[in-house]
Amino acid sequence: MKTKSEWEDLEQKLQNALTQNRYRHTLGVSYTACALAMRYGEDLNSARRAGLLHDCAKCMSNAEMRQLAKKKKIEVSAFELEHPALLHSKIGVYVAGSTYGITDPRILEAIRWHTTGRPGMTLLESILFTADYIEPNRDKAPRLPELRRLAFTDLDRCVYEILHDTVDYLSDNPKSMDPMTLKALEFYRNRIVEADRQDGCSAR
Ligand code: FE
Ligand code: FE
């Protein structure tokens, strides 16, 4: 999907499926993901598509998402059923495939993990996860100017800082924390510590 009209079709379809604000966020994520892809050498079309589709199920009702999960035998955990905000990534994978014809497993996985992150994300997954947090329409998270800069200088460290702030924010309400986010935080903490240690060694 590379021609102008194919992007137009996709955008038109998404515009109909999403609220105006969600669509604006979607475009913001898509273009931010493209900018990060330019910086880190990821395929632009994949980043653009992942950004466009990441929230394709976000405007479905909880009942609709549960129903679809049941009908299509999409495995959902008890935790996800209790916290429907987490369901839209998993349901999004199905909708991206069935409604929008996305077959590339790299894009589908990026959609799958965009909310919680996971240990050892691929470049495309890290790009989408980060773009979702820093896109220009976001204004609530703390430290956005710093994280936006960091995203373009050290992506792993930015992923770590986003996970850190997310866990910090959710710790007011620990019951809503997906265990995967904690696993991801630990993974990226170790990665950062290791990178700093190697830096220290090479400086000597
Ligand atoms: Fe989302
Ligand atoms: Fe989003």
Side-chain angles (χ1 to χ4, degrees):
M1 188 198 302
K2 285 184 186 116
T3 66
K4 189 177 172 219
S5 71
E6 282 165 324
W7 291 114
E8 270 173 11
D9 286 349
L10 180 54
E11 287 169 9
Q12 189 64 57
K13 232 171 158 178
L14 282 160
Q15 200 166 6
N16 292 333
L18 302 173
T19 63
Q20 205 184 349
N21 274 346
R22 184 58 50 182
Y23 183 64
R24 192 178 299 124
H25 161 71
T26 289
L27 289 182
V29 173
S30 183
Y31 288 128
T32 305
C34 280
L36 290 168
M38 290 175 196
R39 164 68 179 84
Y40 292 107
E42 178 55 85
D43 176 61
L44 279 195
N45 286 327
S46 303
R48 187 170 174 182
R49 226 167 282 159
L52 283 175
L53 286 155
H54 82 287
D55 272 346
C56 68
K58 185 77 179 185
C59 294
M60 290 171 74
S61 71
N62 297 343
E64 277 176 307
M65 285 195 287
R66 283 168 191 232
Q67 227 168 24
L68 192 63
K70 206 168 161 193
K71 198 164 136 201
K72 298 297 169 188
K73 300 198 167 50
I74 302 166
E75 226 178 274
V76 287
S77 66
F79 190 84
E80 285 166 327
L81 279 179
E82 274 168 48
H83 302 91
L86 295 169
L87 259 183
H88 80 280
S89 341
K90 216 174 224 179
I91 300 297
V93 172
Y94 176 79
V95 175
S98 62
T99 306
Y100 298 91
I102 300 295
T103 52
D104 184 343
R106 296 169 64 249
I107 297 178
L108 296 173
E109 283 293 283
I111 296 172
R112 170 69 189 89
W113 301 110
H114 85 266
T115 312
T116 60
R118 69 168 173 126
M121 285 191 275
T122 64
L123 177 59
L124 185 62
E125 289 168 28
S126 295
I127 284 177
L128 182 60
F129 179 79
T130 302
D132 192 27
Y133 199 86
I134 65 166
E135 66 95 2
N137 299 290
R138 293 280 199 202
D139 58 5
K140 301 233 163 31
R143 305 200 292 154
L144 274 172
E146 182 189 336
L147 293 177
R148 283 176 172 137
R149 211 175 317 117
L150 187 58
F152 289 88
T153 56
D154 189 337
L155 190 59
D156 273 350
R157 205 170 286 265
C158 188
V159 165
Y160 166 71
E161 297 292 347
I162 292 172
L163 287 164
H164 175 275
D165 286 2
T166 302
V167 167
D168 216 43
Y169 174 76
L170 290 177
S171 57
D172 287 343
N173 190 3
K175 282 193 186 139
S176 62
M177 185 125 50
D178 189 302
M180 189 57 82
T181 304
L182 290 173
K183 283 187 202 157
L185 177 66
E186 195 184 325
F187 177 92
Y188 282 94
R189 181 186 290 126
N190 289 336
R191 183 175 271 190
I192 297 307
V193 167
E194 181 59 21
D196 286 346
R197 199 183 62 80
Q198 289 194 355
D199 263 8
C201 288
S202 61
R204 257 173 248 143

